[in-house]
Amino acid sequence: MSLLSRSFSPRSLSSRRTARRLAADAGLLVVAVAFLLPLAWVVLSAVDPHAGLRVKAPDGVTLEHFDAILTDEITFTPLLNSFLLCGGATALTVVCAALAAYPLSRYRSRLNRPFLLTILFATSLPITAIMVPVYALFVRVNLIDTMQGTIFFFAASQLPFAIWLMKNFMDGVPKELEEAAWTDGASPLQSLARIVLPLMGPGVAVVTVFSFVMMWGNFFVPFMLLLSPDLMPASVSINDFFGNRGMVAYGQLAAFSIVYSTPVILLYVLISRRLGAGFALGGAVKG
């Protein structure tokens, strides 16, 4: 009994909890370092006149790497192409996802579950497995090497998961609010646009950010569907910093990476308040 009492004493339990907490903190610290090292390399190499693969303090501070990349051909035109592709595809994805999620959320049918399972299966398909038939189809319908064709495919590839997200957020909006609008003569589309979507602002923000970020960093799709150099987005043009014989302009690559990542960071900052907002609509239908 004395041994058992010692093993389960408050002091031993406290020491075990402390050890576990320290082990968890050490593991999280290792993960944080693994994520911070690439970011540190990007920031330091962008201002290092002798940038290389190593993460080190710069020999001096220079802005020549930014001066070298801030041209129409290297940065501004690819960024504009990225904004046109990702912005247009994101808007199309959000609109189609809202229209598809609305009947799935508001109307009960025996086909809802099979349809949602089909969508879930579509999200698991690797995009590389369907690019060959898509490329052949785009050649036949004259959509290859066009911005609109790439926008359509971007939206179609992101739509399944966007529908899942949109439906889950839409389920949190009480249906009683729409029924009151229907009593006043509003149509389902009017109640969707004027009641449901404004109330599920965080959900729309999540779908928008997720879709835009996934498209912004996509290299394979525009690389396959766009052929003209003047149509290439920044996700493809970043490949130009890698030479044919293993020569890499590390400083310019790091500077371009900072410029390339800035729009996504700004987008998240601008709508972060909406991402943190809650629905809390239960009281809106009482009284």
Side-chain angles (χ1 to χ4, degrees), residues 24-76:
D25 292 342
L28 292 175
L29 181 61
V30 171
V31 174
V33 171
F35 277 96
L36 289 176
L37 279 179
L39 296 178
W41 178 87
V42 169
V43 174
L44 296 176
S45 298
V47 296
D48 189 352
H50 306 290
L53 277 176
R54 296 174 54 191
V55 180
K56 61 183 181 67
D59 301 332
V61 177
T62 181
L63 297 178
E64 63 181 9
H65 301 312
F66 289 96
D67 294 335
I69 67 164
L70 292 178
T71 62
D72 291 337
E73 182 180 359
I74 297 177
T75 300
F76 297 128

Side-chain angles (χ1 to χ4, degrees), residues 147-170:
M147 296 287 282
Q148 60 268 24
T150 309
I151 288 174
F152 289 151
F153 184 76
F154 262 149
S157 62
Q158 294 299 322
L159 192 56
F161 194 71
I163 293 175
W164 265 92
L165 286 177
M166 194 74 76
K167 178 190 178 299
N168 291 332
F169 283 107
M170 200 171 289

Side-chain angles (χ1 to χ4, degrees), residues 115-132:
F115 183 75
L116 289 173
L117 292 177
T118 303
I119 292 177
L120 182 62
F121 172 75
T123 61
S124 63
L125 287 175
I127 200 168
T128 53
I130 60 176
M131 281 309 299
V132 172

Side-chain angles (χ1 to χ4, degrees), residues 235-254:
S235 59
V236 178
S237 65
I238 196 174
N239 190 50
D240 296 337
F241 295 101
F242 297 89
N244 295 328
R245 299 184 178 180
M247 300 297 294
V248 182
Y250 292 108
Q252 296 181 19
L253 176 62

Side-chain angles (χ1 to χ4, degrees), residues 130-144 153:
I130 60 176
M131 281 309 299
V132 172
V134 167
Y135 184 88
L137 174 64
F138 273 43
V139 171
R140 283 183 173 272
V141 298
N142 295 324
L143 286 178
I144 198 70
F153 184 76

